[in-house]
Amino acid sequence: MTAPHTDLLIVGAGPAGMAAAVTACSHGLSVRVVDDQPAPGGQIWRAIETVASTPRLARLGQAYRAGADRARAFRSCGAVYEPQSELWQIEPGFRAFLTRDGQARSVTADAVILATGAQERPVPFPGWTLPGVLTVGAAQILLKTASTVPERPVWIAGCGPLPLLYMTQLLAAGGQIAGFLDTTPRGRASAALRHLPAGLRRAGELAKGLAWSLALRRAGIPIIRHVTDLRAEGDGRVERLRYRTEDGREGEVTAEVLLVHEGLVPSIHVPLALGCTVEWHPAQHCYVPLLDGWGETSQANLFVAGDGAGIGGAEAAEPRGRLAALRVATRLGKLDAVRAERAAKTERAALARALALRPFLDTLYGPRAQVFAPADETLVCRCEEVTAGALRARAVEGRPGPNQLKAFTRAGMGPCQGRQCGYTMAHIVAAAQNRKVEEVGFFRIRPPLKPVTLGELACLDQREPAA
Amino acid sequence: MFRKLHNPGSATVTIYIDGCAVTAEAGESIAAVMLRQPTGWSRTTSISQSPRAPYCMMGVCFECLVAVDGKGSLQGCLTPVRDGMRVTRQQGRRSLSA
């Protein structure tokens, strides 16, 4: 059993969490890192420690390989690392409640860095709940952690760097692709061009993207452009797909697995539950926590680093993690403010460089309008099985916000706690009431942040001496 | 639906899904193993009993809920396999005894 108190608690062991831990430890802070995965690396470097020693490393690319050094540095930095630990509540001050191996307990810290990353933007369409529909990210996790690929040629729908990267990795692994339903709307490339000069600072990333596209073209993969509508059909599992393009072309193909991806959104459940101010990010179509230049939220000593602060990728996550750790070190008297400022300068330059391509990518791959306006029959809330039509019908009766609509329909009340339906519901409410999406707000997030059993609650604090 | 690219060799373990012995690789998640089974689904929903399968593989969709060694509603994508583990597909609402 580790000591219940540390100077700093870091939630998440991805690029931001690991970088924050290494920096905080180097300044003499005691650090605890909790993470729900079994090994460090986050989603980008999932299973890096296992894969690094196998020939499978080669097919996953250079950016993935870089994770091996980061995991090594993290393991040896001196932080208390608790994998497979689910965080389900943080009280001000701070006391965090965790479950590990079915056992709940609480730990305390003077400062908290939330490095909980992002999730893929939910993409509701008729049939998206059928077995056989997964996200591209899910398929990439299967490839990294289980060396598992679709059995037969797979259909991929969506846009963004991740589908291109996954398709290249899948081909390198010997998998087969039936076709790519590219949902990038017409005209996006020219709209994105004005952000290109700034993005040239990241020429390497641009070249990588071009190389992926070229590899797919060389492999002769059918690409259907400007897909607007998608439907998966089948009896208890995906059997076929129907699609429609911007110019009205329709198609039907047989399919066993469909992978979808329309970008990422920061995970904001913890900051919201803690009352942190969030603001709407118009270019990324999501909420981001309001942060100062160190990553501190509107709540003192509570920081957000990594993609949770706004989507920026691993190379932005690391400087963000280090900036937050520097600030915590200063607050707790381990680092004087002048030295912290000097170190921060380097980190802010690295962050600006890492984010230089973002406006280009956000414009090119921003979600198409249909993502937020699914057909009436579409299940919006996967858990409670509430359709878009049912939500629309209630949304016009007395101008309810997302929280009232949740009470009326149960949408958002299931085990995922609105992680899959939150943004869709907000957009449906906004459209039905002719308001801006940022005006209708989001679900109120309350603990527990993950489902907890009565047994876990009952065994809580068993080991603590009676007050 | 999915297939494994390599033979896990000495890392092979056996788990039981609804009583059927299935081989897996030590350390991979229950959800990954379930996606390789010919039965395409891993749970049925509590409202309409429709079949569902793992969707996000990173702990945010809760579609991969399974019972493991009698303990219900565990996220299969966050639970690594262990030799001899007994996994039950969760059908409909979780029962009070599980």
Side-chain angles (χ1 to χ4, degrees):
Chain A
M1 211 62 219
T2 55
H5 184 85
T6 51
D7 295 328
L8 172 63
L9 170 69
I10 298 173
V11 185
M18 292 196 293
V22 170
T23 300
C25 287
S26 76
H27 291 292
L29 296 174
S30 61
V31 178
R32 180 194 315 276
V33 180
V34 299
D35 187 67
D36 59 8
Q37 299 296 337
Q43 301 307 330
I44 179 157
W45 296 322
R46 277 286 289 266
I48 182 69
E49 292 176 323
T50 319
V51 176
S53 59
T54 70
R56 307 193 308 261
L57 183 64
R59 67 186 180 216
L60 292 169
Q62 204 58 46
Y64 181 71
R65 186 189 301 248
D69 289 340
R70 309 302 205 284
R72 211 171 301 126
F74 168 66
R75 287 276 192 190
S76 60
C77 77
V80 176
Y81 168 52
E82 302 193 22
Q84 287 190 278
S85 297
E86 297 259 18
L87 171 88
W88 47 267
Q89 156 76 325
I90 299 185
E91 287 174 356
F94 294 93
R95 179 176 289 272
F97 294 81
L98 311 162
T99 292
R100 186 180 184 180
D101 281 335
Q103 201 77 54
R105 64 186 232 276
S106 70
V107 296
T108 55
D110 297 318
V112 175
I113 299 176
L114 300 172
T116 49
Q119 68 167 76
E120 287 172 282
R121 184 194 313 280
V123 190
F125 55 86
W128 74 308
T129 51
L130 284 172
V133 180
L134 291 87
T135 67
V136 174
Q140 198 193 35
I141 290 167
L142 284 164
L143 178 62
K144 288 173 182 170
T145 63
S147 199
T148 290
V149 298
E151 209 167 358
R152 278 176 266 283
V154 61
W155 280 93
I156 293 172
C159 66
L162 187 64
L164 300 179
L165 169 61
Y166 173 71
M167 285 192 273
T168 339
Q169 291 171 330
L170 180 61
L171 291 176
Q176 287 177 296
I177 298 165
F180 177 36
L181 303 169
D182 184 347
T183 60
T184 315
R186 199 185 295 278
R188 283 294 180 80
S190 51
L193 271 183
R194 70 190 171 90
H195 297 295
L196 197 56
L200 286 177
R201 290 177 70 191
R202 302 277 290 161
E205 293 297 299
L206 277 171
K208 214 155 63 174
L210 281 175
W212 294 338
S213 302
L214 276 177
L216 297 178
R217 208 164 303 165
R218 256 203 314 274
I221 300 200
I223 301 178
I224 293 130
R225 303 234 181 248
H226 313 309
V227 169
T228 53
D229 298 280
L230 200 60
R231 173 185 296 269
E233 294 174 347
D235 184 13
R237 62 201 296 168
V238 176
E239 289 164 1
R240 63 197 165 270
L241 310 175
R242 291 174 196 275
Y243 61 85
R244 190 166 54 226
T245 66
E246 244 171 66
D247 38 26
R249 240 173 342 124
E250 292 188 10
E252 183 184 324
V253 292
T254 58
E256 189 182 60
V257 174
L258 167 68
L259 306 175
V260 291
H261 179 84
E262 297 279 356
L264 304 166
V265 292
S267 59
I268 50 165
H269 271 55
V270 188
L272 283 176
L274 288 164
C276 299
T277 307
V278 297
E279 54 187 359
W280 184 254
H281 190 315
Q284 297 192 343
H285 305 267
C286 58
Y287 285 104
V288 291
L290 184 69
L291 304 172
D292 71 5
W294 302 91
E296 190 167 13
T297 66
S298 60
Q299 306 283 343
N301 297 324
L302 178 65
F303 296 74
V304 175
D307 273 356
I311 304 306
E315 283 173 59
E318 293 188 295
R320 277 172 168 161
R322 288 191 284 264
L323 280 166
L326 288 169
R327 186 60 157 180
V328 174
T330 306
R331 281 277 165 77
L332 300 185
K334 306 274 188 183
L335 177 68
D336 72 72
V338 178
R339 283 182 54 213
E341 275 297 343
R342 205 176 310 134
K345 226 172 152 180
T346 319
E347 301 304 341
R348 293 206 177 105
L351 178 59
R353 205 163 44 243
L355 292 175
L357 195 56
R358 212 27 70 175
F360 175 81
L361 291 174
D362 290 345
T363 309
L364 182 59
Y365 294 130
R368 69 204 138 95
Q370 294 81 2
V371 167
F372 301 123
D376 277 348
E377 70 198 272
T378 314
L379 285 180
V380 168
C381 171
R382 299 175 65 105
C383 300
E384 295 291 333
E385 299 180 69
V386 184
T387 63
L391 291 170
R392 278 190 187 111
R394 296 307 297 261
V396 291
E397 294 171 11
R399 271 169 75 97
N403 290 295
Q404 284 160 299
L405 206 53
K406 174 179 169 181
F408 293 159
T409 63
R410 293 193 61 85
M413 278 192 201
C416 97
Q417 295 169 304
R419 287 173 175 88
Q420 294 296 325
C421 64
Y423 282 115
T424 317
M425 259 176 88
H427 277 95
I428 285 175
V429 168
Q433 299 172 4
N434 204 12
R435 298 159 73 190
K436 286 187 179 153
V437 67
E438 58 267 41
E439 277 171 24
V440 304
F442 200 77
F443 291 142
R444 256 188 305 282
I445 306 300
R446 298 189 183 89
L449 295 159
K450 287 282 183 106
V452 181
T453 65
L454 280 175
E456 285 163 33
L457 287 175
C459 72
L460 192 63
D461 293 346
Q462 241 171 24
R463 287 179 212 81
E464 287 193 359
Chain B
M1 214 183 269
F2 283 80
R3 69 185 164 97
K4 199 165 179 76
L5 289 164
H6 68 263
N7 184 335
S10 62
T12 304
V13 298
T14 302
I15 69 167
Y16 299 87
I17 301 178
D18 290 331
C20 297
V22 166
T23 59
E25 183 172 21
E28 66 182 347
S29 69
I30 294 174
V33 181
M34 296 198 90
L35 282 168
R36 296 201 298 264
Q37 306 312 309
T39 319
W41 56 277
S42 57
R43 73 166 183 122
T44 59
T45 61
S46 53
I47 314 283
S48 70
Q49 278 73 49
S50 15
R52 294 283 173 87
Y55 172 74
C56 79
M57 291 302 289
M58 56 168 284
V60 292
C61 78
F62 291 78
E63 293 292 7
C64 60
L65 294 179
V66 288
V68 178
D69 296 331
K71 200 165 178 296
S73 289
L74 287 182
Q75 285 176 274
C77 73
L78 293 177
T79 314
V81 294
R82 249 189 351 261
D83 198 35
M85 191 177 240
R86 292 183 179 275
V87 179
T88 316
R89 289 188 180 86
Q90 207 155 288
Q91 302 208 31
R93 252 172 234 286
R94 180 185 162 187
S95 73
L96 276 177
S97 60

